[in-house]
Amino acid sequence: MRDTGPLKLLLRGILFLPVLFLPLLVDPILELSGIEARHLAVYSQLAAQVRSGQITRIGWDLRALKLFATPRAPEYQILVLGSSRALSVSQAWFPDHTLWNASVDSGTLEDSAVLLHKALEAGHRPTTVILEVSASLGRDPQPGTSRALSPDLRPALARYGLAPRSPLSQLSDINLWWNDTTRRLLATLNDLKDARTAFVLSPDGALLAPDPLPPVMSAQAAVDFLNRLPPEQLEARSQSRPFPANAALFRRVLDDLTARGIRVIVLTVPIHPAAWDFFRKRGGYDDSWLRAELAPRNIPIVGTYSPQESHATGADFLDPFPPRPALVKRLLSDAAVISALP
């Protein structure tokens, strides 16, 4: 009797191919269906609402909103870039200056580069950029991880003489690739009003604090939250040195801003004490590389990832990562950033 084992294995592999390459088909399907175009039109309307001075409630992707609003916002002297840990930075903290907060939830260095590119391309000339970064500058670069920003990623990187990796070179990271594609699909198909996450933005792009504020997260609840993180997030937050592509992008962004005479302030925001203990054991949130990189450039760093050095407690955080606005404002005030701006 012939051994049909290899043949069965081959057939199973062939049957698996459609599942493997389904993410490559998602973008064309969405473009052909017109679903995404309708939702982006909604984001464009929301951006106009923000720019008109109204408080705006948005149900899903801040990237899409900031993509439309950042280049079209009224002229601003201060541009804030980063993740949810910088979303609370508000013009109200800088009464003598105009400010636009282009930070986005789960923001990466690539997100910041795209939004900075859109601002500069539109003719904005901020005098100061507050750039919030993580210790590793984000996870391994993945082109297209934000559906809204992906068309602008290539020209943004081209500004700095860089290019995103080709999709074929990412086949070794199927899990992250699949998760991102699924998230983009769900974000497009979900109605904005029914989305589980709701953001309330002020006209300067800053996130308004929840009212009332949620109860303080206990240390055990924070650890339980961290244990449920997806493997790719856990891996990224457990590193304190950037991937080479992120390091190159970071340096070229800083060089470009410096050449334009734009003052750069790098913001490092502490994490919940339980999260600090959790990740430091794994090698994360060590800012040594970052400080060594910025010192020769005379670029100031405001804050630290350490809650102990920042005199922060669990009561200063909304969850293991995003701080309550009062903590970020205190960091900027203690560093005399607010009072020292020209």
Side-chain angles (χ1 to χ4, degrees):
M1 183 180 294
R2 290 189 303 168
D3 182 8
T4 60
L7 178 60
K8 289 182 178 179
L9 184 62
L10 177 62
L11 290 174
R12 288 173 182 171
I14 293 173
L15 291 173
F16 181 70
L17 285 177
V19 176
L20 179 62
F21 288 99
L22 178 62
L24 292 176
L25 303 177
V26 169
D27 286 355
I29 289 172
L30 293 181
E31 290 171 357
L32 290 173
S33 69
I35 294 174
E36 182 174 85
R38 291 196 296 273
H39 279 262
L40 290 182
V42 172
Y43 283 117
S44 179
Q45 295 169 9
L46 288 171
Q49 183 175 316
V50 172
R51 297 194 308 273
S52 69
Q54 301 179 52
I55 292 176
T56 302
R57 184 179 181 87
I58 178 173
W60 192 262
D61 194 354
L62 281 183
R63 287 169 176 79
L65 177 64
K66 297 293 179 79
L67 177 69
F68 285 105
T70 296
R72 299 171 178 85
E75 194 61 36
Y76 39 82
Q77 297 165 301
I78 304 170
L79 176 62
V80 183
L81 299 165
S83 68
S84 59
R85 292 186 289 171
L87 267 171
S88 62
V89 180
S90 169
Q91 182 172 329
W93 302 356
F94 300 86
D96 298 325
H97 299 80
T98 53
L99 176 146
W100 172 252
N101 192 323
S103 301
V104 297
D105 52 304
S106 302
T108 66
L109 181 63
E110 284 188 349
D111 291 329
S112 294
V114 169
L115 291 163
L116 174 62
H117 166 70
K118 297 297 289 185
L120 296 176
E121 185 182 48
H124 284 287
R125 294 295 180 266
T127 57
T128 301
V129 166
I130 298 176
L131 177 62
E132 183 269 325
V133 295
S134 65
S136 64
L137 302 181
R139 65 189 184 199
D140 197 3
Q142 297 288 326
T145 53
S146 168
R147 174 66 189 162
L149 296 187
S150 57
D152 294 284
L153 178 59
R154 189 173 297 277
L157 296 182
R159 175 186 289 274
Y160 305 111
L162 302 171
R165 291 187 296 156
S166 68
L168 290 179
S169 71
Q170 300 174 55
L171 291 178
S172 62
D173 201 353
I174 293 297
N175 183 44
L176 182 56
W177 187 35
W178 176 265
N179 286 348
D180 283 333
T181 302
T182 304
R183 181 182 64 79
R184 298 204 309 272
L185 178 60
L186 292 175
T188 302
L189 298 180
N190 275 338
D191 189 297
L192 290 173
K193 294 179 295 185
D194 297 332
R196 291 174 297 172
T197 304
F199 301 99
V200 182
L201 297 179
S202 62
D204 59 7
L207 183 68
L208 295 180
D211 185 18
L213 285 171
V216 175
M217 177 177 278
S218 68
Q220 185 57 53
V223 172
D224 292 342
F225 179 99
L226 297 172
N227 283 325
R228 295 193 299 268
L229 285 177
E232 65 271 10
Q233 288 192 30
L234 188 63
E235 179 185 0
R237 294 181 185 275
S238 298
Q239 299 184 64
S240 293
R241 292 189 66 86
F243 290 93
N246 280 339
L249 178 58
F250 184 62
R251 291 170 181 139
R252 296 192 189 190
V253 166
L254 295 180
D255 289 343
D256 183 44
L257 291 173
T258 301
R260 295 173 182 272
I262 298 174
R263 183 188 184 197
V264 182
I265 297 170
V266 171
L267 177 62
T268 55
V269 180
I271 57 177
H272 191 287
W276 171 258
D277 294 337
F278 183 92
F279 284 110
R280 286 302 295 126
K281 296 174 184 176
R282 293 164 171 78
Y285 290 94
D286 181 347
D287 63 5
S288 300
W289 179 90
L290 187 61
R291 293 184 179 276
E293 189 71 26
L294 295 176
R297 301 172 183 269
N298 294 317
I299 293 177
I301 297 182
V302 171
T304 171
Y305 301 120
S306 166
Q308 290 80 15
E309 293 182 24
S310 302
H311 306 291
T313 68
D316 290 310
F317 297 88
L318 298 171
D319 71 23
F321 304 112
R324 296 177 187 248
L327 173 59
V328 182
K329 184 177 181 181
R330 175 168 63 80
L331 293 174
L332 292 170
S333 298
D334 289 350
V337 170
I338 294 176
S339 61
L341 290 179

